[in-house]
Amino acid sequence: MTDHKTTLGYCTPRFQRSAATLMFCAPLAIIPMTVNAEEADNAEVFRLAPVIVNTQAAADDDANSIVARELWVGGKVATSVLDTPASVSVITEKEINQREADTTEEVLQYTPGVVTDYYGTDDRNDYFLIRGFQATTYRDGLTLGSMRGVREEAYAFERVEVLRGANSTLFGPADPGGSVNFVSKRPKFEQFGSGYLTYGAFDHVEAGLDVGDMINDELAFRITGKIKDSEREYDHSQDDNQFFMAGLTWEPSAFTTANLIVDYLKRDSSPNSGGYPLDKEYSRDDFFGEPGHNNHEVERSSITGQLTHDFNNGLVLRGNLRYSDLTDDFGYVYISDNANRTGNVVNRDYFGTDSEAQELIGNAILQYDARFDNVDSSTLVGVEYRDASTESSSIYTAVGPIDVTDPQYSGVPSGLLPYTGNDQDFKTKSVFLQQNLSFVDRFIVTAGVRQDSLDLSSTDLSGVTESDDFSETSVRGALTYKLTDEVSTYVSFVESIAPPSIGVKAERGDQVELGVKYAPANTNAIFSAAIYDLNKDDVTIAVVQDNGTIERETIGESRVRGLDLEAKVDLTDNLSLTGGYSYMDTEVVEGTLRNGTSIKGNEFTSAPTHSASVWTHYTLPKQGMSFGLGARYTGSYYFDAANTAKSESATLFDSSFSYRIHKDTDLKINVRNLFDEQHVVGSGTADYYNPGREITATVNYRW
């Protein structure tokens, strides 16, 4: 440990508190640390217990680099990425801007262990898998839960954090593959501003604004907004959205910080063209749905409050509360093809849903940090409450077939009645405890336990109500050993509990992981490698009984073993590189199709054995120009659980160019899928293609 050790309980100056303001917002930190620090003459300032992290840096340091030194995935306090006993990735604001990533899938495309775009241009949701399983999403550490029906707005976030592997002890019920945490932009105690205009392919017109300033020494505000009017790459489509967010930060003293964030998001889009026939490759321009009926209209409003108070004696109290409201209306005419079809006429069906959701979630957390000789201790205890309700109804009917050589649109029958509907309520009460101990500056022991009590109820169209309750416990433990100040290794065991359904045992996951991380001195870089064995048990499967009937039983099991490698490096002041590789060996240990057919030994769907990516960005400062080039490789994977059809492996390229046309004004050109490569990413009763080439030009002005 450095000689510049801190004294617990000493207050931090404002420039440090501005950094800390961004960190107080979620259920459980991976390795909590104190935010108190003491200045030493001519020395840097550090956080103590149990991980030493430099806090002298400005709040937006990570925004100016592709290399994140701290992890806020736990939300309460920043944690050293090097010493976090888990496989993590942080996509900073600088990296997001370099690639002009406009959606969550685009943000995550260069992250190892993550598979995106396996539904192609079917963009009803943000679709991505981590380590072969569905990922759980969070905003500022609080689960999005029933708010998941809307695609997140990348412009709202200053970073996106990926935690690979099971983690219910950190966040509560979640699938075992991993989690994605979106960190919202917040006010700063300084004046800043930027605005941009974008024009691009498919009549894409967009404008955005992000401004902030100090009102006085105690108050700061930030306003972020965006408007987009666009079509998609197929006929009769649209991709419009509006976003607004306002934040207010109050710091009445060195010990108290409060944040208030209000945001509104509206999307009006055409999620897909209805798919493409199976017999050959078609043009992406073709539209086989129904104009005006292939639509997705979403509105979501949220208000978030965050409070932290340091008692100046090693004890810190934090509280977080968010209320959200969502309406989600969706309609979709799609083709229903089969491999034995003859002729040019293809059958079609219509599916639609209308839903409303409300969610209240909050937590209260106490953290106590202390030092005993050569042992640093950090204890964190908290409670969390979530109350979510959803009302939804669904419509399904056959629609007139379509001649794929000469599409004629017939519309959708009117007066359709819902075939299913539910009013659902979910209540979760949780208590969690985590203890961290750092011994002789080299060993860090992390242990945690969480208890989740869940009450579920559902009422169908006929008025029949079902209910169920669950009480689930998850644990985690990890040992980190710092070989040097630059190299850390860890071994961890973590558990997960998937969000349960009424009448069905909750699915559980567990993971053992070994990892190593390297952050070379005097270089802005971090390298990581992790091997893991991840299991999911109590999966509900169809089982053929002795009498021939089929019943659902929770005896299924899935397993994935793999390797994740990642490098993020600022090679020079002008050259940066990020790269990753993933290997996954997936297997259904015990499982069936709905008809009882065994799929034991099969691979997961949409889970390539190999995937890799690299993105590099170079700046010519004297010429005011920069260039970016990236490549994304996805190996072949199965389209279905029966493993009857498989994709082709594919490599896609992306590029960027930026030129300083005037002081504080840049022109940026980005191209995704540079060579317009087309392949099938999903197939069932229709084929679905990867997104085609998209070119955008953006003028950005900063002040």
Side-chain angles (χ1 to χ4, degrees):
M1 184 179 293
T2 177
D3 291 334
H4 309 311
K5 292 178 181 176
T6 61
T7 301
L8 291 170
Y10 196 87
C11 66
T12 59
R14 177 173 292 279
F15 62 79
Q16 291 174 256
R17 289 188 289 115
S18 297
T21 300
L22 300 170
M23 306 166 189
F24 306 133
C25 52
L28 192 57
I30 293 177
I31 307 179
M33 303 165 296
T34 181
V35 295
N36 300 322
E38 178 183 16
E39 291 192 48
D41 292 340
N42 300 318
E44 291 182 321
V45 181
F46 292 86
R47 281 193 200 89
L48 181 68
V51 182
I52 307 304
V53 179
N54 187 347
T55 63
Q56 188 77 8
D60 62 348
D61 269 9
D62 286 349
N64 297 322
S65 170
I66 67 164
V67 183
R69 292 293 185 175
E70 294 185 334
L71 182 75
W72 305 336
V73 73
K76 274 77 63 193
V77 290
T79 302
S80 165
V81 172
L82 180 65
D83 298 330
T84 297
S87 180
V88 299
S89 296
V90 179
I91 304 95
T92 66
E93 188 173 3
K94 180 176 182 178
E95 184 178 347
I96 293 172
N97 290 338
Q98 281 182 357
R99 297 193 273 112
E100 282 288 296
D102 190 50
T103 68
T104 298
E105 289 168 289
E106 292 169 0
V107 169
L108 299 175
Q109 282 173 343
Y110 286 84
T111 304
V114 180
V115 177
T116 66
D117 278 338
Y118 52 88
Y119 281 139
T121 53
D122 186 348
D123 292 330
R124 284 170 285 177
N125 283 297
D126 293 322
Y127 295 112
F128 48 87
L129 303 173
I130 302 179
R131 291 184 174 176
F133 293 99
Q134 292 291 333
T136 306
T137 54
Y138 302 83
R139 182 172 176 185
D140 300 324
L142 297 175
T143 181
L144 286 167
S146 55
M147 298 297 109
R148 183 72 166 82
V150 58
R151 305 190 77 197
E152 294 302 318
E153 175 52 62
Y155 194 53
F157 310 125
E158 60 187 35
R159 56 158 53 194
V160 177
E161 302 172 329
V162 178
L163 174 63
R164 287 177 282 271
N167 52 65
S168 284
T169 308
L170 296 174
F171 294 122
D175 278 311
S179 301
V180 175
N181 181 48
F182 305 103
V183 180
S184 301
K185 292 178 177 177
R186 287 177 174 77
K188 306 174 185 179
F189 280 87
E190 61 184 60
Q191 186 182 51
F192 64 93
S194 66
Y196 72 89
L197 292 172
T198 296
Y199 181 77
F202 321 124
D203 291 328
H204 179 154
V205 180
E206 181 178 322
L209 183 69
D210 185 21
V211 297
D213 200 354
M214 295 175 58
I215 299 174
N216 54 43
D217 288 342
E218 297 182 357
L219 287 172
F221 74 92
R222 185 169 190 164
I223 296 175
T224 307
K226 169 183 171 178
I227 231 175
K228 177 182 175 182
D229 186 307
S230 179
E231 298 177 359
R232 294 190 183 273
E233 55 189 337
Y234 39 87
D235 296 335
H236 308 290
S237 64
Q238 60 182 3
D239 184 18
D240 305 336
N241 71 288
Q242 303 169 27
F243 168 73
F244 173 80
M245 181 170 68
L248 185 67
T249 294
W250 178 47
E251 291 189 3
S253 71
F255 306 103
T256 303
T257 301
N259 291 305
L260 178 68
I261 301 174
V262 179
D263 62 276
Y264 170 79
L265 178 60
K266 180 179 181 181
R267 292 190 181 273
D268 191 357
S269 64
S270 305
N272 196 263
S273 61
Y276 300 88
L278 302 172
D279 55 341
K280 64 178 183 179
E281 185 173 274
Y282 286 76
S283 169
R284 286 191 179 93
D285 294 339
D286 292 338
F287 181 81
F288 300 116
E290 278 293 325
H293 294 282
N294 284 53
N295 61 75
H296 192 196
E297 298 178 4
V298 176
E299 285 189 74
R300 187 183 68 187
S301 302
S302 298
I303 181 168
T304 304
Q306 301 161 346
L307 174 68
T308 181
H309 180 71
D310 188 340
F311 291 93
N312 199 28
N313 59 3
L315 186 67
V316 180
L317 171 67
R318 300 183 180 92
N320 308 277
L321 186 66
R322 183 178 69 217
Y323 174 78
S324 302
D325 183 271
L326 170 72
T327 60
D328 186 344
D329 298 332
F330 165 72
Y332 184 44
V333 175
Y334 60 96
I335 64 175
S336 182
D337 199 9
N338 66 82
N340 299 319
R341 170 181 57 85
T342 59
N344 298 321
V345 177
V346 181
N347 292 329
R348 298 186 302 168
D349 294 299
Y350 172 73
F351 176 71
T353 61
D354 289 338
S355 63
E356 296 182 1
Q358 296 81 38
E359 183 175 80
L360 177 69
I361 183 170
N363 57 33
I365 305 153
L366 272 175
Q367 178 185 334
Y368 181 69
D369 298 301
R371 180 169 177 80
F372 310 95
D373 294 328
N374 290 323
V375 178
D376 289 333
S377 172
S378 184
T379 305
L380 190 149
V381 62
V383 294
E384 184 169 293
Y385 177 76
R386 175 175 177 249
D387 186 350
S389 62
T390 303
E391 299 178 11
S392 64
S393 61
S394 300
I395 295 173
Y396 172 81
T397 187
V399 179
I402 195 166
D403 186 334
V404 295
T405 62
D406 182 25
Q408 301 294 320
Y409 305 111
S410 59
V412 171
S414 60
L416 297 175
L417 297 176
Y419 76 94
T420 184
N422 284 285
D423 293 348
Q424 298 178 320
D425 291 297
F426 309 86
K427 288 184 174 63
T428 305
K429 300 175 183 177
S430 309
V431 59
F432 46 86
L433 170 69
Q434 182 158 300
Q435 178 64 53
N436 299 274
L437 297 169
S438 176
F439 299 92
V440 295
D441 307 335
R442 292 299 177 196
F443 293 93
I444 304 170
V445 176
T446 302
V449 61
R450 179 173 175 130
Q451 175 72 29
D452 291 288
S453 299
L454 303 97
D455 294 317
L456 286 69
S457 67
S458 177
T459 303
D460 63 19
L461 287 174
S462 62
V464 176
T465 299
E466 296 179 309
S467 62
D468 208 344
D469 60 85
F470 301 84
S471 182
E472 301 289 342
T473 301
S474 58
V475 299
R476 74 187 299 257
L479 173 64
T480 301
Y481 174 60
K482 299 190 67 173
L483 285 83
T484 69
D485 290 340
E486 300 174 342
V487 180
S488 67
T489 62
Y490 65 89
V491 57
S492 68
F493 172 81
V494 289
E495 290 186 323
S496 71
I497 302 158
S501 301
I502 294 174
V504 179
K505 187 177 180 180
E507 298 174 345
R508 298 187 66 93
D510 61 77
Q511 175 186 274
V512 176
E513 181 174 286
L514 299 173
V516 59
K517 299 178 184 179
Y518 173 48
N522 303 318
T523 302
N524 193 25
I526 189 163
F527 305 88
S528 63
I531 58 174
Y532 60 90
D533 187 336
L534 175 59
N535 295 272
K536 186 176 183 180
D537 302 320
D538 299 324
V539 179
T540 302
I541 64 174
V543 179
V544 180
Q545 308 298 311
D546 292 338
N547 62 4
T549 62
I550 297 176
E551 296 182 6
R552 308 286 287 175
E553 298 181 11
T554 53
I555 60 172
E557 181 182 350
S558 300
R559 182 184 68 199
V560 56
R561 294 170 175 170
L563 165 71
D564 289 319
L565 304 175
E566 185 175 46
K568 287 182 178 286
V569 190
D570 280 332
L571 296 169
T572 68
D573 290 340
N574 303 321
L575 179 63
S576 63
L577 181 144
T578 179
Y581 167 78
S582 288
Y583 168 80
M584 288 193 297
D585 178 16
T586 63
E587 179 187 3
V588 178
V589 179
E590 189 68 42
T592 64
L593 302 177
R594 290 187 177 275
N595 62 7
T597 302
S598 175
I599 55 172
K600 183 177 181 179
N602 284 12
E603 296 181 21
F604 295 3
T605 60
S606 305
T609 302
H610 302 280
S611 60
S613 65
V614 61
W615 170 266
T616 184
H617 192 268
Y618 180 65
T619 300
L620 296 168
K622 292 183 179 180
Q623 285 74 32
M625 292 188 296
S626 64
F627 305 86
L629 182 64
R632 300 175 272 127
Y633 170 79
T634 303
S636 62
Y637 56 81
Y638 286 104
F639 293 135
D640 58 356
N643 286 184
T644 59
K646 203 170 188 180
S647 73
E648 298 179 355
S649 60
T651 301
L652 305 180
F653 294 88
D654 307 308
S655 66
S656 71
F657 170 76
S658 178
Y659 179 67
R660 179 67 51 85
I661 58 178
H662 192 268
K663 181 182 179 181
D664 299 325
T665 305
D666 296 317
L667 170 66
K668 298 179 65 176
I669 298 175
N670 284 75
V671 186
R672 299 188 185 93
N673 191 0
L674 182 63
F675 301 111
D676 201 24
E677 199 278 337
Q678 180 172 324
H679 62 280
V680 178
V681 294
S683 184
T685 58
D687 283 342
Y688 297 89
Y689 303 142
N690 66 298
R693 178 168 54 215
E694 183 177 1
I695 304 173
T696 58
T698 300
V699 175
N700 192 303
Y701 175 67
R702 296 174 302 278
W703 63 89

PDB file of all heavy atoms in Angstrom, residues 152-165:
ATOM      1  N   GLU A 152     -33.357   1.408 -24.968  1.00  0.00           N
ATOM      2  CA  GLU A 152     -32.720   2.478 -24.220  1.00  0.00           C
ATOM      3  C   GLU A 152     -32.058   3.485 -25.168  1.00  0.00           C
ATOM      4  O   GLU A 152     -31.625   3.148 -26.265  1.00  0.00           O
ATOM      5  CB  GLU A 152     -31.681   1.904 -23.260  1.00  0.00           C
ATOM      6  CG  GLU A 152     -32.279   1.039 -22.160  1.00  0.00           C
ATOM      7  CD  GLU A 152     -33.290   1.784 -21.322  1.00  0.00           C
ATOM      8  OE1 GLU A 152     -33.041   2.956 -20.991  1.00  0.00           O
ATOM      9  OE2 GLU A 152     -34.330   1.194 -20.998  1.00  0.00           O
ATOM     10  N   GLU A 153     -31.984   4.722 -24.715  1.00  0.00           N
ATOM     11  CA  GLU A 153     -31.406   5.804 -25.493  1.00  0.00           C
ATOM     12  C   GLU A 153     -29.940   5.996 -25.103  1.00  0.00           C
ATOM     13  O   GLU A 153     -29.634   6.419 -23.980  1.00  0.00           O
ATOM     14  CB  GLU A 153     -32.187   7.095 -25.265  1.00  0.00           C
ATOM     15  CG  GLU A 153     -31.599   8.323 -25.930  1.00  0.00           C
ATOM     16  CD  GLU A 153     -31.322   8.100 -27.402  1.00  0.00           C
ATOM     17  OE1 GLU A 153     -32.280   7.847 -28.153  1.00  0.00           O
ATOM     18  OE2 GLU A 153     -30.143   8.170 -27.795  1.00  0.00           O
ATOM     19  N   ALA A 154     -29.018   5.680 -26.027  1.00  0.00           N
ATOM     20  CA  ALA A 154     -27.593   5.744 -25.721  1.00  0.00           C
ATOM     21  C   ALA A 154     -27.137   7.162 -25.371  1.00  0.00           C
ATOM     22  O   ALA A 154     -26.177   7.343 -24.608  1.00  0.00           O
ATOM     23  CB  ALA A 154     -26.786   5.203 -26.899  1.00  0.00           C
ATOM     24  N   TYR A 155     -27.804   8.185 -25.904  1.00  0.00           N
ATOM     25  CA  TYR A 155     -27.412   9.570 -25.647  1.00  0.00           C
ATOM     26  C   TYR A 155     -27.636   9.967 -24.185  1.00  0.00           C
ATOM     27  O   TYR A 155     -27.098  10.971 -23.720  1.00  0.00           O
ATOM     28  CB  TYR A 155     -28.197  10.495 -26.572  1.00  0.00           C
ATOM     29  CG  TYR A 155     -27.677  11.912 -26.660  1.00  0.00           C
ATOM     30  CD1 TYR A 155     -26.346  12.170 -26.977  1.00  0.00           C
ATOM     31  CD2 TYR A 155     -28.524  12.997 -26.449  1.00  0.00           C
ATOM     32  CE1 TYR A 155     -25.877  13.469 -27.072  1.00  0.00           C
ATOM     33  CE2 TYR A 155     -28.068  14.301 -26.555  1.00  0.00           C
ATOM     34  CZ  TYR A 155     -26.731  14.536 -26.862  1.00  0.00           C
ATOM     35  OH  TYR A 155     -26.268  15.825 -26.958  1.00  0.00           O
ATOM     36  N   ALA A 156     -28.400   9.172 -23.448  1.00  0.00           N
ATOM     37  CA  ALA A 156     -28.693   9.485 -22.052  1.00  0.00           C
ATOM     38  C   ALA A 156     -27.559   9.093 -21.115  1.00  0.00           C
ATOM     39  O   ALA A 156     -27.546   9.502 -19.954  1.00  0.00           O
ATOM     40  CB  ALA A 156     -29.976   8.776 -21.611  1.00  0.00           C
ATOM     41  N   PHE A 157     -26.601   8.297 -21.602  1.00  0.00           N
ATOM     42  CA  PHE A 157     -25.645   7.676 -20.698  1.00  0.00           C
ATOM     43  C   PHE A 157     -24.222   8.158 -20.932  1.00  0.00           C
ATOM     44  O   PHE A 157     -23.803   8.401 -22.054  1.00  0.00           O
ATOM     45  CB  PHE A 157     -25.700   6.150 -20.851  1.00  0.00           C
ATOM     46  CG  PHE A 157     -27.101   5.615 -20.775  1.00  0.00           C
ATOM     47  CD1 PHE A 157     -27.619   4.840 -21.789  1.00  0.00           C
ATOM     48  CD2 PHE A 157     -27.909   5.920 -19.691  1.00  0.00           C
ATOM     49  CE1 PHE A 157     -28.917   4.359 -21.730  1.00  0.00           C
ATOM     50  CE2 PHE A 157     -29.207   5.449 -19.618  1.00  0.00           C
ATOM     51  CZ  PHE A 157     -29.711   4.665 -20.640  1.00  0.00           C
ATOM     52  N   GLU A 158     -23.482   8.287 -19.838  1.00  0.00           N
ATOM     53  CA  GLU A 158     -22.083   8.654 -19.945  1.00  0.00           C
ATOM     54  C   GLU A 158     -21.175   7.435 -19.943  1.00  0.00           C
ATOM     55  O   GLU A 158     -19.975   7.539 -20.213  1.00  0.00           O
ATOM     56  CB  GLU A 158     -21.678   9.601 -18.826  1.00  0.00           C
ATOM     57  CG  GLU A 158     -21.854   9.055 -17.434  1.00  0.00           C
ATOM     58  CD  GLU A 158     -21.583  10.124 -16.395  1.00  0.00           C
ATOM     59  OE1 GLU A 158     -21.904  11.296 -16.648  1.00  0.00           O
ATOM     60  OE2 GLU A 158     -21.038   9.789 -15.331  1.00  0.00           O
ATOM     61  N   ARG A 159     -21.719   6.277 -19.662  1.00  0.00           N
ATOM     62  CA  ARG A 159     -20.979   5.022 -19.762  1.00  0.00           C
ATOM     63  C   ARG A 159     -21.953   3.858 -19.655  1.00  0.00           C
ATOM     64  O   ARG A 159     -23.063   4.002 -19.134  1.00  0.00           O
ATOM     65  CB  ARG A 159     -19.907   4.909 -18.675  1.00  0.00           C
ATOM     66  CG  ARG A 159     -20.452   5.050 -17.270  1.00  0.00           C
ATOM     67  CD  ARG A 159     -19.555   4.447 -16.210  1.00  0.00           C
ATOM     68  NE  ARG A 159     -18.198   4.926 -16.292  1.00  0.00           N
ATOM     69  CZ  ARG A 159     -17.175   4.352 -15.648  1.00  0.00           C
ATOM     70  NH1 ARG A 159     -17.379   3.299 -14.902  1.00  0.00           N
ATOM     71  NH2 ARG A 159     -15.962   4.834 -15.750  1.00  0.00           N
ATOM     72  N   VAL A 160     -21.519   2.716 -20.158  1.00  0.00           N
ATOM     73  CA  VAL A 160     -22.292   1.478 -20.044  1.00  0.00           C
ATOM     74  C   VAL A 160     -21.360   0.413 -19.504  1.00  0.00           C
ATOM     75  O   VAL A 160     -20.254   0.219 -20.021  1.00  0.00           O
ATOM     76  CB  VAL A 160     -22.881   1.041 -21.404  1.00  0.00           C
ATOM     77  CG1 VAL A 160     -23.609  -0.281 -21.270  1.00  0.00           C
ATOM     78  CG2 VAL A 160     -23.821   2.111 -21.954  1.00  0.00           C
ATOM     79  N   GLU A 161     -21.804  -0.281 -18.452  1.00  0.00           N
ATOM     80  CA  GLU A 161     -20.967  -1.259 -17.779  1.00  0.00           C
ATOM     81  C   GLU A 161     -21.549  -2.652 -17.944  1.00  0.00           C
ATOM     82  O   GLU A 161     -22.758  -2.852 -17.805  1.00  0.00           O
ATOM     83  CB  GLU A 161     -20.860  -0.913 -16.292  1.00  0.00           C
ATOM     84  CG  GLU A 161     -20.290   0.465 -16.050  1.00  0.00           C
ATOM     85  CD  GLU A 161     -20.351   0.900 -14.609  1.00  0.00           C
ATOM     86  OE1 GLU A 161     -21.286   0.488 -13.887  1.00  0.00           O
ATOM     87  OE2 GLU A 161     -19.464   1.664 -14.187  1.00  0.00           O
ATOM     88  N   VAL A 162     -20.689  -3.607 -18.239  1.00  0.00           N
ATOM     89  CA  VAL A 162     -21.093  -4.995 -18.449  1.00  0.00           C
ATOM     90  C   VAL A 162     -20.419  -5.851 -17.387  1.00  0.00           C
ATOM     91  O   VAL A 162     -19.196  -5.833 -17.248  1.00  0.00           O
ATOM     92  CB  VAL A 162     -20.697  -5.486 -19.853  1.00  0.00           C
ATOM     93  CG1 VAL A 162     -21.091  -6.949 -20.034  1.00  0.00           C
ATOM     94  CG2 VAL A 162     -21.353  -4.627 -20.919  1.00  0.00           C
ATOM     95  N   LEU A 163     -21.225  -6.582 -16.649  1.00  0.00           N
ATOM     96  CA  LEU A 163     -20.731  -7.526 -15.654  1.00  0.00           C
ATOM     97  C   LEU A 163     -21.106  -8.923 -16.128  1.00  0.00           C
ATOM     98  O   LEU A 163     -22.285  -9.268 -16.204  1.00  0.00           O
ATOM     99  CB  LEU A 163     -21.344  -7.241 -14.277  1.00  0.00           C
ATOM    100  CG  LEU A 163     -21.024  -8.235 -13.159  1.00  0.00           C
ATOM    101  CD1 LEU A 163     -19.525  -8.227 -12.869  1.00  0.00           C
ATOM    102  CD2 LEU A 163     -21.800  -7.882 -11.902  1.00  0.00           C
ATOM    103  N   ARG A 164     -20.102  -9.720 -16.499  1.00  0.00           N
ATOM    104  CA  ARG A 164     -20.362 -11.054 -17.023  1.00  0.00           C
ATOM    105  C   ARG A 164     -20.492 -12.057 -15.882  1.00  0.00           C
ATOM    106  O   ARG A 164     -19.699 -12.050 -14.944  1.00  0.00           O
ATOM    107  CB  ARG A 164     -19.235 -11.465 -17.981  1.00  0.00           C
ATOM    108  CG  ARG A 164     -19.271 -10.736 -19.310  1.00  0.00           C
ATOM    109  CD  ARG A 164     -18.104 -11.121 -20.201  1.00  0.00           C
ATOM    110  NE  ARG A 164     -16.884 -10.446 -19.789  1.00  0.00           N
ATOM    111  CZ  ARG A 164     -16.508  -9.254 -20.232  1.00  0.00           C
ATOM    112  NH1 ARG A 164     -17.262  -8.596 -21.110  1.00  0.00           N
ATOM    113  NH2 ARG A 164     -15.389  -8.697 -19.813  1.00  0.00           N
ATOM    114  N   GLY A 165     -21.508 -12.934 -16.001  1.00  0.00           N
ATOM    115  CA  GLY A 165     -21.691 -13.989 -15.018  1.00  0.00           C
ATOM    116  C   GLY A 165     -22.826 -13.719 -14.055  1.00  0.00           C
ATOM    117  O   GLY A 165     -23.410 -12.643 -14.000  1.00  0.00           O
TER     118      GLY A 165
END
